[in-house]
Amino acid sequence: MSNTNLSEQEQIRRESLSELRKLGIDPYPAAEYKTNVFAQDIHNNFEANAEKYVEVCLAGRIMNRRIMGNASFAELMDSSGRIQIYVRRDDICHGDDKTMYNTVFKRLLDIGDIIGVKGHVFKTQMGEITVHVDEFTILSKSIRPLPIVKEKDGVLFDAVTDPEMRYRQRYVDLIVNPQVRDVFRKRSQIIQSMRELFNSNGYLEVETPILQPIPGGATARPFITHHNALDIPLYLRIANELYLKRLIVGGFEGVYEFAKDFRNEGMDRTHNPEFTVMEIYIAYKDYNWMMNFTEEIVKKASLDLHGTTQVPYDDKIINLNPPFKRISMTDAIKEHTGIDISSMEEDELRKVCDSLNVPNSPEMGKGKLIDQLFGEKCEHHYIQPTFIIDYPTETSPLTKMHRSKAGVTERFELMINGKEIANAYSELNDPVDQMQRFMDQLRLSEKGDDEAMFIDLDFVRALEYGMPPTSGMGIGIDRLTMLLTNQSSIQDVLLFPQMKPEKKATSDPEEKYTEKGVPPEWVDPLKKLGYTTIAKLKEVEKPGKLANDLNGCNKKNKLGLAGLSPETVAGWLA
RNA sequence: CGGUCCGUAGCUCAGCUGGCAGAGCACCUGACUCUUAAUCAGGGAGUCGAGGGUUCGAUUCCCUCCGGACCGACCA
């Protein structure tokens, strides 16, 4: 009776659940279920070694059923893939009692249920490798129907594509869209590939604070939170750079971290409020060395994942085989605008921006203007991997001045498919210069740039003890994964992308209704008719009509309640 | 934040210039012992995103709101 808000199919599945229990079958058994094979193993090896597959046991979710009287085919999906099973009445029911087949298998089991099967592998007349089941065990009953996706010759029918469902109920997406699982396996492989390389070089994987008193190391708006015991504000980190460099000061030769960073900014196809960055810092190296190392990282990840450095993205082929093109930012701007900005000051740059219709604002300094020019006019052209090198000092406050070029720093970004994939420097280790750069940032922030960096005095203190010359690099793991798995939105490489809260229909609790004199058994029918709050109930003008609707609902849903008179209903509304 | 499009059964989607709410899959009943998008016969399933307006009558037209997608602006 309390189930009137469930769909017909959900009610039927709940009834199946209690029928199973009445038959003495636990729909959610506690015991370990020992399997000895995965679907993929059977597909790969059955034909060569049929004798090894006479007693198999596997478990998975029922994805499809084809019942033909006393025999049935079904598809079972485990973590490795799908395999067909064949269930024959007289093979699973040895005596006269055919309940396990006629009632349990045919009627009480559903698509979505998780079962274990024991049997032997054979090949059907149609040539499909199949498990002939001798015995099955219900491992978990599903009481919510799955979307039905059918497939023939690799073509999907009725595939679930609604992003709302796919991202919000990722578990459903993973069940019905098998290629989605593959993307996340690849994501893990990419991280594994990088970790292997770093560890084999003797670099140390570390963990640094996510809750930071000063959100340093990058320019971005942070999330802010509060620590009650200390009574201080804390920020969710926007970068871990300053902590990793403290560790280089502390004497580690190379440190790296796969870090979740958090930025309180816009969300779209390439931005999620939390995202993953791998940052690595290595002593006694410079950015030239780091470019070579970055090439090696990207090449290895691609080879480990695809066995090739030619990867498809959209309609393009990206060639990740080093060496990658290297071009300075000023040359890049010259290449795409024909303008040499290398000796220009702020006023001239602003005029150039205006003449090229590049948006700019008064609080932008020289560095920001150059950045803006590059972003608008150049960035999207770099489809094949390209290192953009030597960035303006103003936008690179943690970077060493260039050893020979004035006004620029030893910094590179790796652009692939028109997007920034990696960002690296020869790290600034001069504590006096660092302090000066922080002060410059402070002035920018006073000028109105809300993205200028905070000053981290402890970091400066660390540098005062002496940091070896160091090169550091960060790679956006989400974006690298998008690139290597050919996904066009960041939501497709994050298991649980940030979503707006699910809207929840307001609904008053039962007590609110009973206070008004509504009998408890009539609360659900009322809600089903749309009177989910007392306020809505009060708006009713014709109690007779409501009584009529309720009696109709009673009859339609076979609730078996005594009929209501208009007077009774009018009493609730008083 | 601006422009375009979308929201109908568990899922994928039709529904014309306003007139009884539709299909396929899924579900239920029945048939069928090698099927495979199984098939065949029958059945029931809906707050047509929410609220308001116009109308004798709104899923359809208008307004507001909510949610989503794509394209722009901002950020990694």
Side-chain angles (χ1 to χ4, degrees):
Chain A
M1 190 221 307
S2 63
N3 289 346
T4 48
N5 53 342
L6 295 177
S7 71
E8 182 194 28
Q9 293 193 42
E10 288 172 302
Q11 292 185 42
I12 288 166
R13 287 190 178 210
R14 277 167 151 86
E15 280 160 23
S16 299
L17 196 64
S18 58
E19 270 197 71
L20 283 170
R21 290 200 164 106
K22 276 184 206 146
L23 288 168
I25 297 169
D26 181 356
Y28 303 103
E32 174 189 10
Y33 190 82
K34 280 187 183 135
T35 61
N36 60 19
V37 71
F38 289 108
Q40 195 62 52
D41 297 342
I42 297 174
H43 284 300
N44 291 347
N45 304 316
F46 169 68
E47 300 213 60
N49 299 295
E51 72 285 354
K52 287 188 181 165
Y53 294 89
V54 293
E55 271 183 51
V56 297
C57 179
L58 71 159
R61 192 184 292 274
I62 300 172
M63 296 305 286
N64 188 332
R65 288 200 303 170
R66 296 180 283 276
I67 295 174
M68 305 163 301
N70 293 330
S72 299
F73 288 91
E75 264 179 70
L76 219 56
M77 181 171 77
D78 69 12
S79 61
S80 72
R82 295 186 182 205
I83 188 152
Q84 179 167 269
I85 62 172
Y86 178 60
V87 180
R88 199 159 61 177
R89 185 190 66 187
D90 296 336
D91 291 328
I92 59 167
C93 305
H94 294 293
D96 290 336
D97 180 3
K98 305 301 183 190
T99 307
M100 273 308 272
Y101 184 76
N102 289 338
T103 306
V104 178
F105 185 82
K106 273 169 66 175
R107 195 157 62 79
L108 302 181
L109 282 191
D110 290 291
I111 289 175
D113 291 353
I114 295 168
I115 64 170
V117 299
K118 288 188 169 73
H120 65 272
V121 180
F122 75 112
K123 207 165 176 179
T124 65
Q125 287 172 6
M126 302 298 289
E128 178 152 349
I129 293 171
T130 301
V131 177
H132 188 130
V133 175
D134 300 319
E135 184 190 329
F136 73 89
T137 308
I138 297 178
L139 300 174
S140 182
K141 175 80 191 144
S142 159
I143 59 171
R144 186 183 283 267
L146 280 173
I148 302 298
V149 180
K150 300 221 172 188
E151 178 262 322
K152 178 166 174 79
D153 302 330
V155 182
L156 292 178
F157 294 81
D158 303 332
V160 175
T161 53
D162 176 17
E164 178 74 4
M165 169 110 136
R166 288 193 48 226
Y167 303 148
R168 219 182 268 291
Q169 301 187 51
R170 179 67 89 182
Y171 35 88
V172 174
D173 189 31
L174 290 165
I175 293 168
V176 303
N177 293 327
Q179 68 285 6
V180 174
R181 279 199 245 179
D182 197 46
V183 168
F184 290 102
R185 285 205 185 88
K186 287 192 170 125
R187 181 181 172 116
S188 175
Q189 279 174 33
I190 291 166
I191 292 171
Q192 202 52 43
S193 166
M194 294 170 69
R195 188 173 272 136
E196 276 168 17
L197 179 61
F198 302 154
N199 288 349
S200 72
N201 282 17
Y203 306 142
L204 185 71
E205 183 165 16
V206 298
E207 292 170 274
T208 62
I210 291 171
L211 288 174
Q212 302 181 349
I214 296 168
T219 55
R221 283 200 297 277
F223 285 91
I224 187 164
T225 185
H226 185 263
H227 190 279
N228 288 341
L230 293 174
D231 193 25
I232 54 165
L234 286 174
Y235 301 86
L236 272 63
R237 72 174 165 209
I238 55 175
N240 53 357
E241 166 158 3
L242 301 187
Y243 285 92
L244 291 175
K245 284 197 273 199
R246 283 172 170 96
L247 295 175
I248 297 294
V249 170
F252 292 113
E253 176 104 359
V255 291
Y256 71 93
E257 180 175 16
F258 288 92
K260 267 283 180 76
D261 287 347
F262 304 83
R263 297 188 183 177
N264 204 343
E265 291 167 350
M267 284 166 58
D268 60 28
R269 215 174 60 254
T270 53
H271 297 84
N272 194 64
E274 55 183 291
F275 59 102
T276 305
V277 175
M278 191 295 304
E279 288 201 42
I280 184 163
Y281 290 81
I282 304 166
Y284 310 112
K285 308 297 186 192
D286 64 6
Y287 80 143
N288 291 315
W289 181 91
M290 191 58 88
M291 274 187 259
N292 297 337
F293 190 54
T294 303
E295 287 173 340
E296 192 182 343
I297 293 168
V298 172
K299 178 184 177 183
K300 179 176 188 297
S302 177
L303 286 175
D304 288 349
L305 212 58
H306 296 114
T308 169
T309 49
Q310 310 290 313
V311 306
Y313 194 86
D314 281 348
D315 51 352
K316 305 177 272 270
I317 298 288
I318 310 284
N319 179 4
L320 298 175
N321 196 40
F324 303 158
K325 179 179 174 181
R326 299 177 189 194
I327 182 170
S328 75
M329 189 170 244
T330 48
D331 286 347
I333 291 172
K334 199 189 291 176
E335 188 175 296
H336 292 102
T337 66
I339 299 172
D340 182 357
I341 54 128
S342 54
S343 56
M344 289 188 185
E345 287 307 318
E346 193 173 320
D347 294 348
E348 281 177 286
L349 282 165
R350 200 177 304 280
K351 279 176 202 151
V352 170
C353 284
D354 288 340
S355 71
L356 294 170
N357 288 323
V358 172
N360 63 87
S361 52
E363 76 270 12
M364 285 182 178
K366 182 177 163 185
K368 270 246 160 177
L369 290 169
I370 294 173
D371 219 41
Q372 190 77 356
L373 262 177
F374 178 79
E376 290 285 316
K377 292 293 169 191
C378 311
E379 193 170 60
H380 57 278
H381 292 294
Y382 295 104
I383 302 302
Q384 296 302 327
T386 304
F387 289 112
I388 306 298
I389 64 175
D390 302 341
Y391 279 61
T393 316
E394 201 181 19
T395 51
S396 311
L398 302 167
T399 313
K400 210 174 252 200
M401 295 305 296
H402 196 279
R403 63 196 74 183
S404 57
K405 289 189 208 169
V408 297
T409 57
E410 295 203 352
R411 172 179 179 183
F412 73 77
E413 290 192 3
L414 174 59
M415 315 295 303
I416 306 179
N417 195 41
K419 304 267 164 47
E420 176 197 337
I421 294 289
N423 181 17
Y425 328 132
S426 295
E427 302 295 334
L428 179 57
N429 62 346
D430 174 342
V432 176
D433 189 2
Q434 182 65 79
M435 191 61 206
Q436 189 56 49
R437 303 273 199 104
F438 276 145
M439 297 308 288
D440 293 344
Q441 289 291 305
L442 192 62
R443 272 190 287 280
L444 281 177
S445 107
E446 281 162 0
K447 200 175 164 187
D449 183 348
D450 60 0
E451 286 186 355
M453 279 189 194
F454 291 69
I455 299 186
D456 187 336
L457 291 175
D458 175 70
F459 173 67
V460 177
R461 179 166 63 189
L463 291 187
E464 285 169 356
Y465 286 103
M467 181 172 85
T470 297
S471 184
M473 190 268 293
I475 291 187
I477 297 298
D478 309 300
R479 292 189 171 179
L480 183 63
T481 305
M482 286 166 69
L483 179 75
L484 293 178
T485 59
N486 197 5
Q487 299 295 315
S488 57
S489 82
I490 198 169
Q491 284 86 356
D492 288 319
V493 299
L494 296 170
L495 280 167
F496 300 102
Q498 193 56 243
M499 305 282 286
K500 285 191 189 174
E502 204 166 351
K503 65 168 175 184
K504 205 177 159 197
T506 52
S507 178
D508 282 335
E510 188 175 302
E511 300 82 68
K512 288 266 199 180
Y513 288 84
T514 51
E515 279 168 19
K516 292 297 216 178
V518 180
E521 64 271 23
W522 282 104
V523 173
D524 274 324
L526 267 177
K527 288 189 176 180
K528 191 172 177 67
L529 288 174
Y531 301 99
T532 50
T533 61
I534 294 295
K536 282 187 187 171
L537 195 56
K538 281 190 169 169
E539 288 166 13
V540 173
E541 285 172 4
K542 294 175 182 168
K545 182 181 185 304
L546 179 55
N548 201 32
D549 289 345
L550 283 168
N551 288 329
C553 180
N554 178 25
K555 193 174 174 188
K556 192 174 160 194
N557 291 296
K558 300 187 179 73
L559 301 176
L561 304 173
L564 291 164
S565 67
E567 292 74 28
T568 312
V569 173
W572 305 345
L573 308 179

